[in-house]
Amino acid sequence: MTIPLAALAASLVHAPPAQASAPPAAPAPSAFAAVALAAPNLRDFDLRRGSDRGGPLRALGGRLKRSSVDELLNASGQRRLGRGCGKPAAVPARSLVYCFDRADSATGKWVPQGVTSISDAVAGERTPGGGRPLLVSWHDGGKVRLTFVNPAKRTYRHVLLVDPAMKGGRPTYTDVDLHAGGIAWYGPKLYVADTRHGVREFDVRQIFDLSKSKAGSTGHAGRVGLHGKKYYGHGHRYVMAQTGGWRFTRGSSGGKCRGSGPLRMSWIAVDRTTWQHVLIAGEYCKPKAPRGRVVTWPLWGLTGSGTVRADWAAALPGDRIQGGVRTKGRWWFTQGRGQKRGRLLTTSRDWTEWGRVTHRTISHGPEDLSCYRGQHRIWTIAEHARKRALWSFPADSCS
């Protein structure tokens, strides 16, 4: 079926709240308001559900033991959060900071990108067992892993993302080759940005514990999927399976910023502060490219099996945007600046244009954004090796 176009007002909050707290800096006027840009065509962003993985998932469930998020958070073998990463990452004052261990802080092989949390996933901001995890996606140019951070115990665990399939009549899985520039957890679903095609869909109910499965193995870092009679995950204890995806009906973006056509899906986020929860996505575009766009879709539409239509879109108020989120009508964007410290752009939006944009210098390499409502904080990840930190800043509108 085709989901009808939602009213534009459903995706916008009409009156922005008072300025949210954030790292101190002087405001700068926006030159963007003077630039006339054509409104994006909403039909460019129609998403159609892709192929279902139900068959291989059911078969894998007969061979491998599933794990809940709470079991994963409390299992043995966790990595310990470190200390001291805030200063090299140039994290602003008044930030809450979590550091990975020495190896994960220094590695150039794996690069963190996306951030989401239990606050995006459920209204009560707790797992059934009481956990309050933060999630981070990483890519290494051919694989994607997802990190479950448990602040209560100051521990974390890497989980390999995999794509299930049938081969020779037997279930197996392969690596997920994505940049994973943004992630969004909503209900049991985890949405991962697919730069060219749209969104990949995973499910926290489809996590498999290889160490507790007779057919599983945590050895052989070079192997993934079924080899002989054993299932591998590049040495990871846990793998999390893709359940489906949403692809642009008008084809691929080609991974480029074109100013029209399907979105270059660079980052994604959830807005739970509107009466209709939405998935937000935007483009990272360089200064000489067409201005990037930001789009929203009703999240209830992604639970169906047909086509979901975007309910709002606009050109972004800046270039090189690496993450964005909206909270009670207030918009927050991270702007990458290469080896320089990144910037945080804060603004609001009326029916036709962006308001005044405030710029603040923040950490090196700021990426995806996620609002943790119960904390009144917005989280991001500083991506650069040896300048890497998972950190958040106060935001009154995130509630």
Side-chain angles (χ1 to χ4, degrees), residues 354-376:
W354 298 103
R356 182 181 181 87
V357 179
T358 299
H359 300 76
R360 294 177 175 85
T361 300
I362 53 171
S363 73
H364 292 286
E367 284 283 335
D368 208 22
L369 291 172
S370 177
C371 161
Y372 202 123
R373 294 167 288 110
Q375 297 177 346
H376 308 294

Side-chain angles (χ1 to χ4, degrees), residues 135-266:
L135 275 59
V136 178
S137 64
W138 309 59
H139 73 84
D140 83 337
K143 300 186 288 293
V144 176
R145 71 185 185 190
L146 184 69
T147 302
F148 286 77
V149 178
N150 185 353
K153 292 187 174 182
R154 295 195 57 82
T155 58
Y156 66 97
R157 165 84 69 181
H158 297 314
V159 176
L160 185 72
L161 297 188
V162 297
D163 190 1
M166 298 298 293
K167 184 177 181 179
R170 296 189 297 174
T172 186
Y173 47 80
T174 58
D175 285 317
V176 174
D177 186 2
L178 292 177
H179 190 73
I183 55 175
W185 187 7
Y186 188 78
K189 304 294 186 180
L190 178 78
Y191 300 104
V192 180
D194 182 336
T195 311
R196 293 173 177 267
H197 302 294
V199 181
R200 303 280 187 103
E201 177 193 281
F202 296 77
D203 195 312
V204 296
R205 297 167 298 186
Q206 301 294 340
I207 299 174
F208 298 99
D209 185 344
L210 298 181
S211 74
K212 289 194 172 182
S213 304
K214 290 183 179 179
S217 173
T218 59
H220 293 281
R223 291 182 180 179
V224 66
L226 182 63
H227 291 261
K229 296 182 179 181
K230 292 285 186 179
Y231 289 89
Y232 299 87
H234 293 302
H236 291 76
R237 174 175 172 176
Y238 295 90
V239 298
M240 181 173 170
Q242 182 175 337
T243 52
W246 294 85
R247 298 172 70 92
F248 291 115
T249 62
R250 295 190 171 180
S252 167
S253 70
K256 297 181 179 180
C257 293
R258 302 181 184 276
S260 63
L263 196 72
R264 183 183 190 268
M265 193 74 77
S266 301

Side-chain angles (χ1 to χ4, degrees), residues 10-222:
S11 67
L12 297 175
V13 175
H14 311 300
Q19 174 68 43
S21 298
S30 171
F32 180 71
V35 180
L37 294 172
N41 180 356
L42 290 181
R43 297 290 70 76
D44 284 342
F45 314 121
D46 287 354
L47 292 168
R48 181 181 296 116
R49 189 162 187 85
S51 58
D52 181 67
R53 269 76 167 176
L57 279 172
R58 286 189 292 272
L60 281 172
R63 299 189 177 202
L64 299 174
K65 179 177 174 56
R66 287 187 174 89
S67 169
S68 70
V69 171
D70 286 305
E71 288 171 332
L72 181 151
L73 291 174
N74 294 309
S76 61
Q78 306 279 342
R79 292 174 181 252
R80 300 292 304 178
L81 290 173
R83 299 183 183 278
C85 64
K87 185 175 181 179
V91 171
R94 300 178 63 207
S95 300
L96 180 58
V97 184
Y98 295 129
C99 306
F100 299 106
D101 68 15
R102 185 175 299 179
D104 285 330
S105 295
T107 181
K109 174 180 171 62
W110 289 98
V111 182
Q113 296 288 300
V115 178
T116 187
S117 77
I118 191 64
S119 183
D120 287 332
V122 295
E125 300 184 313
R126 287 180 181 268
T127 65
R132 294 184 172 183
L134 297 160
L135 275 59
V136 178
S137 64
W138 309 59
H139 73 84
D140 83 337
K143 300 186 288 293
V144 176
R145 71 185 185 190
L146 184 69
T147 302
F148 286 77
V149 178
N150 185 353
K153 292 187 174 182
R154 295 195 57 82
T155 58
Y156 66 97
R157 165 84 69 181
H158 297 314
V159 176
L160 185 72
L161 297 188
V162 297
D163 190 1
M166 298 298 293
K167 184 177 181 179
R170 296 189 297 174
T172 186
Y173 47 80
T174 58
D175 285 317
V176 174
D177 186 2
L178 292 177
H179 190 73
I183 55 175
W185 187 7
Y186 188 78
K189 304 294 186 180
L190 178 78
Y191 300 104
V192 180
D194 182 336
T195 311
R196 293 173 177 267
H197 302 294
V199 181
R200 303 280 187 103
E201 177 193 281
F202 296 77
D203 195 312
V204 296
R205 297 167 298 186
Q206 301 294 340
I207 299 174
F208 298 99
D209 185 344
L210 298 181
S211 74
K212 289 194 172 182
S213 304
K214 290 183 179 179
S217 173
T218 59
H220 293 281

Side-chain angles (χ1 to χ4, degrees), residues 216-340:
S217 173
T218 59
H220 293 281
R223 291 182 180 179
V224 66
L226 182 63
H227 291 261
K229 296 182 179 181
K230 292 285 186 179
Y231 289 89
Y232 299 87
H234 293 302
H236 291 76
R237 174 175 172 176
Y238 295 90
V239 298
M240 181 173 170
Q242 182 175 337
T243 52
W246 294 85
R247 298 172 70 92
F248 291 115
T249 62
R250 295 190 171 180
S252 167
S253 70
K256 297 181 179 180
C257 293
R258 302 181 184 276
S260 63
L263 196 72
R264 183 183 190 268
M265 193 74 77
S266 301
W267 46 266
I268 58 178
V270 169
D271 185 357
R272 274 184 167 266
T273 69
T274 51
W275 70 268
Q276 176 176 262
H277 302 162
V278 298
L279 182 72
I280 304 168
E283 296 179 300
Y284 172 91
C285 298
K286 294 181 179 180
K288 293 184 179 181
R291 181 58 60 90
R293 299 160 292 170
V294 57
V295 184
T296 66
W297 296 266
L299 271 159
W300 61 263
L302 296 177
T303 63
S305 58
T307 299
V308 58
R309 291 183 169 178
D311 54 15
W312 175 82
L316 283 162
D319 53 41
R320 297 167 292 168
I321 301 299
Q322 303 204 120
V325 71
R326 184 183 65 196
T327 71
K328 292 187 176 178
R330 199 72 175 158
W331 284 91
W332 310 83
F333 300 102
T334 52
Q335 184 180 57
R337 298 198 298 165
Q339 295 305 309
K340 296 181 180 179

